[in-house]
Amino acid sequence: MEFEKKPLIGMVHLKPLPGSYLYNGDLDGIVEAALRDAKTIEKAGFDAVMVENFGDVPFPKYVDKTTVAAFTAVVKAIRDEISLPLGINVLRNDGIAAYSIAYAVKADFIRVNVLSGVAYTDQGVIEGIAHELAKLRKLLPSRIRVFADVHVKHAVHFGDFEDSLRDTVERGLADAVVVSGKATGKPVDLERLALAKKISPVPVLVGSGTTYDNLPGLWKHADGFIVGTWIKRDGRVENEVSLERARKLVDLVKNLRV
C-alpha cells in the first residue's frame, strides 16, 4: 500500500468475539459476516482492509488469549479470500496482540490507539506501549507498519497535540499517524489535521468521520483515509458494508486523484 495515491482503507468491524461479554456462541457467523464485509470492500475498489474487534464491548485495555485466538482465526479466513493489504486493530490498546496476529497471518499494518503518552478513557488510564512494541518488532522482524493515533478518539488528553505527534513518531517510532474526531464516525478537526500534515515526517491518516461530502475538503491535508461508518448500509456503524456506498466513495477518490 503506497501513500502517494492517498489510499482508502475500509473497516471490517467484527461481531463480539469469544471471550467478550456479548458473544453469542456463533463463531462461524462472525467469520461469515467479516468475510462478506471484506469482500465487499475489495469489490468496491478500496485499497486496503483493516479488521477491528469493534463488538467486544466493554473493551479491556488488553485482550485475553481467547480473543487473540478467535481474532486470528477470523483474520486468517479473510487473508485467504482477499488480496488487498490487511491491517489489524485490537481494542482497546493491545498493539502487542495486534502485531502478533498480523505476524501470524502475514498482514501488512496495525493500528495502535495509544503508542506514546497517556489517554484518559472509558477503560481507565491507558499508557503508551511503544517500548514493548519495539521489543516485539525486534524479536519478530517484518514489514508490518505501525499506524499510531495522536490524541485518540473516545479519550481525554491533556498534553499538547503537536508535542504528542512528535513523540509518537520520533520516540514511539510510528510509521504513520492517525488523526480522528472525538468518537467513532465523528469528523476530524480540520485545523488539527492540517497541523499534523504540516509537521509530520510520516504519512497522516484520517481515522474517523470521513464521508462522501467532506472528503474533498480533507483531501489535501491527509495521506490516506480509514473509513468505517459511512460505507455501512444507511451510514450506521452496526450495519453491513454497502457496496453502493463504498463504490460511491471510491469513484470520488478516483476523481480527486486525477
Side-chain angles (χ1 to χ4, degrees):
M1 181 175 58
E2 301 301 326
F3 289 103
E4 287 78 7
K5 66 176 185 177
K6 304 192 177 187
L8 277 177
I9 302 170
M11 288 301 305
V12 172
H13 291 132
L14 298 181
K15 304 297 184 184
L17 292 170
S20 68
Y21 180 71
L22 297 177
Y23 175 58
N24 67 2
D26 183 11
L27 181 56
D28 289 340
I30 296 171
V31 174
E32 290 171 6
L35 276 173
R36 180 190 63 229
D37 280 353
K39 289 179 178 180
T40 301
I41 289 168
E42 182 174 50
K43 186 175 182 179
F46 270 61
D47 302 292
V49 169
M50 182 155 59
V51 185
E52 179 181 87
N53 57 325
F54 185 80
D56 287 353
V57 294
F59 300 117
K61 294 180 184 179
Y62 310 104
V63 299
D64 60 24
K65 295 175 183 178
T66 304
T67 300
V68 173
F71 204 133
T72 304
V74 176
V75 178
K76 179 60 166 59
I78 294 173
R79 174 78 294 170
D80 290 344
E81 294 289 335
I82 70 170
S83 59
L84 292 179
L86 182 63
I88 310 292
N89 186 23
V90 180
L91 299 170
R92 178 63 156 109
N93 195 50
D94 207 333
I96 303 302
Y99 188 91
S100 300
I101 295 167
Y103 188 87
V105 304
K106 295 181 171 60
D108 302 278
F109 60 94
I110 65 172
R111 180 176 180 178
V112 180
N113 289 167
V114 186
L115 183 66
S116 297
V118 176
Y120 299 85
T121 77
D122 51 314
Q123 292 79 38
V125 178
I126 297 180
E127 298 180 358
I129 59 165
H131 178 74
E132 294 83 355
L133 183 56
K135 287 175 62 178
L136 182 58
R137 296 177 82 181
K138 187 72 171 182
L139 179 66
L140 299 175
S142 72
R143 296 182 179 179
I144 299 167
R145 300 181 186 181
V146 174
F147 299 172
D149 283 87
V150 180
H151 284 194
V152 69
K153 58 190 175 182
H154 294 284
V156 175
H157 306 272
F158 296 103
D160 178 76
F161 178 82
E162 182 173 345
D163 290 342
S164 296
L165 188 149
R166 295 190 188 282
D167 285 344
T168 298
V169 176
E170 297 171 4
R171 297 159 68 90
L173 305 182
D175 300 303
V177 295
V178 181
V179 182
S180 299
K182 291 184 177 181
T184 299
K186 298 299 182 182
V188 66
D189 180 273
L190 187 58
E191 291 185 5
R192 178 170 287 186
L193 179 65
L195 173 62
K197 177 63 175 171
K198 179 180 178 181
I199 67 175
S200 177
V202 299
V204 176
L205 302 169
V206 175
S208 75
T210 298
T211 70
Y212 182 86
D213 292 326
N214 71 13
L215 195 151
L218 301 173
W219 185 255
K220 70 177 182 178
H221 301 297
D223 301 298
F225 303 85
I226 301 169
V227 189
T229 302
W230 196 86
I231 60 173
K232 300 295 188 71
R233 175 171 53 86
D234 300 326
R236 297 181 62 86
V237 70
E238 66 270 18
N239 291 340
E240 75 279 2
V241 174
S242 162
L243 180 59
E244 180 183 2
R245 291 175 73 93
R247 276 182 169 167
K248 183 176 180 179
L249 204 63
V250 168
D251 289 342
L252 174 61
V253 167
K254 286 180 179 178
N255 290 331
L256 291 170
R257 286 173 179 163
V258 174

